[in-house]
Amino acid sequence: MDHMVLEIGLAVILIALVGLLAAKIRFSVIPFYILIGMAVGPHAPHVGILDFRFIHSAELIEFMGRLGVLFLLFYLGLEFSVGRLMKSGRSIAIGGTIYILINFSLGLLFGWINGFPIEETMVIAGITTISSSAIVAKVLVDLKRTANPETEMILGIIMFEDIFLAVYISVLSGLVLSDSSSLGGVLLSASYALGFMLLFLIIGRKAAPLLNKLFNIRSNELFLLLVFGMLFLVSGFSETIHVAEAIGALLVGLVLAETVHMKRIEHLILPFRDFFGALFFFSFGLTIDPFALGGAVWLSLAAVGVTLFGNFVAGMLAGKSAGLSPKASANIGLTIVSRGEFSIIMANLGKAGGLLELLQPFAALYVLILAIMGPLLTKESKLVFKGLNGIFRWEKSKKEKAREPEPAKEHSGSG
């Protein structure tokens, strides 16, 4: 206990070092944060005053990681306001529905085929359905694809996933976290959760003028105290009615995004999101014993294969529904294949509900593999499409187009 501050400092330095490494090789930091967490912990050495086991500070790091989840989803809510979600176009709604239906159905089928109980199957379906907004957004910016024709659909699907995530975690938390044993009890608990979510959004939108006045504070200190107070109070209350605290944070973000103070909140909250978010991924890795991952290897690899297939098919169909070219449609599926923070949140929900311990190492390996493969597949999407196009012939190559005879020109007679 006496060395807790030292241990926290050691953890932050380790996170910073792997973050610098990730930045140097221009790669997503998420897998690095998880890996360094997995590398230390109870199985790690104790060198002098430097205790890499993090025994004394493990609970505090876990709590700080929980705050990271709240800040991540709160910030996401600020990015995707209720108003923006309601203005989503018809093509985005259709594309998002296609994506969710295909990937969620495959997730349920995967869990059922592998003989998991219903609760574990639903958690697995959640883990394999939701993309990582953080990784996808970073890849789009890094590769300068924000102006591509398929990017609007990609961002639309991410927004659609967020809506699905909010509803699904509410339903799943009612199933996994409640004490209900009957179907009626579970449905009642889920109804409470969904009712609370909808009521909060409706009241929140109506209260925008009041919130504008309430947050009209010059002092950044008092301003942040009010924001944090609202964030933690609503998140904590959400948990008491079996709605995941992360969804409470998302709801607060969605509501505050409707105020005139959104940009100020976003600017001030960003450092907290990054700092505690990094601790979240580190704390997740800290809970994973790398020597216990063996039992989840084949399951994770199989799930990765299912996800790659489901994402590509969903991307092609979603792009086609929006009138995009096969190449642009392929980019959709390859770009949103990364899994990250939301898959980990789903796994943590299973842990909180006392479900099978296999879910944690499964989610860790699954996220690691796709967090690495996702950016690579996006970067090499032209090469991937060229190889698959050679088999399925979605588009004709330039050589094939050049070999095609030109249409005959009509000549008027001299009559």
Side-chain angles (χ1 to χ4, degrees), residues 100 131 162 186 200 250 279 295 300 342-343 347 353 369-370 383 405:
I100 293 294
S131 306
D162 295 332
V186 168
F200 189 88
L250 179 65
L279 281 167
S300 300
F342 299 128
S343 298
I369 295 169
L370 287 178
L383 189 63

Side-chain angles (χ1 to χ4, degrees), residues 126-380:
I127 289 171
T128 59
T129 298
I130 307 297
S131 306
S132 169
S133 300
I135 297 176
V136 171
K138 181 172 173 52
V139 167
L140 286 173
V141 172
D142 289 349
L143 297 180
K144 299 179 180 178
R145 294 190 181 182
T146 52
N148 281 19
E150 71 274 6
T151 300
E152 184 179 339
M153 175 61 77
I154 290 170
L155 296 178
I157 289 176
I158 289 175
M159 286 192 289
F160 201 86
E161 283 183 317
D162 295 332
I163 301 172
F164 172 79
L165 178 74
V167 176
Y168 191 65
I169 289 186
S170 297
V171 173
L172 192 59
S173 59
L175 176 67
V176 174
L177 301 181
S178 71
D179 298 324
S180 305
S181 56
S182 65
L183 179 61
V186 168
L187 290 175
L188 184 63
S189 179
S191 299
Y192 283 144
L194 289 172
F196 165 73
M197 185 178 67
L198 292 172
L199 186 64
F200 189 88
L201 289 176
I202 292 169
I203 295 176
R205 286 208 80 188
K206 297 292 183 182
L210 179 63
L211 290 172
N212 284 333
K213 292 181 181 178
L214 182 64
F215 283 91
N216 191 21
I217 304 170
R218 285 190 176 184
S219 168
N220 283 341
E221 178 184 346
L222 297 177
F223 185 83
L224 273 179
L225 283 172
L226 192 57
V227 171
F228 282 16
M230 185 175 177
L231 170 61
F232 296 146
L233 188 65
V234 173
S235 300
F237 177 75
S238 299
E239 197 174 28
T240 64
I241 58 172
H242 303 304
V243 175
E245 59 186 11
I247 290 306
L250 179 65
L251 293 174
V252 176
L254 287 169
V255 168
L256 291 183
E258 300 291 322
T259 69
V260 296
H261 304 287
M262 187 271 285
K263 289 293 181 183
R264 185 184 179 191
I265 297 171
E266 194 177 69
H267 173 71
L268 291 174
I269 214 77
L270 189 61
F272 295 93
R273 184 206 68 176
D274 292 341
F275 177 76
F276 287 101
L279 281 167
F280 164 53
F281 293 111
F282 175 79
S283 67
F284 178 75
L286 205 59
T287 63
I288 302 299
D289 181 359
F291 301 105
L293 293 178
V297 171
W298 293 113
L299 188 69
S300 300
L301 289 174
V304 166
V306 170
T307 299
L308 291 174
F309 171 77
N311 266 252
F312 193 82
V313 171
M316 293 298 288
L317 292 176
K320 186 177 181 181
S321 71
L324 295 174
S325 68
K327 185 177 180 180
S329 301
N331 283 346
I332 295 173
L334 294 172
T335 302
I336 56 179
V337 77
S338 297
R339 298 294 186 265
E341 61 274 19
F342 299 128
S343 298
I344 294 172
I345 289 169
M346 296 301 299
N348 284 344
L349 186 61
K351 180 184 178 183
L355 303 186
L356 291 175
E357 293 182 3
L358 183 65
L359 291 175
Q360 290 288 103
F362 163 73
L365 271 176
Y366 175 78
V367 167
L368 275 174
I369 295 169
L370 287 178
I372 293 169
M373 287 188 68
L376 287 175
L377 287 171
T378 308
K379 187 178 181 181
E380 303 298 335

Side-chain angles (χ1 to χ4, degrees), residues 12-22:
V12 174
I13 286 295
L14 290 173
I15 293 169
L17 288 175
V18 296
L20 288 170
L21 176 62

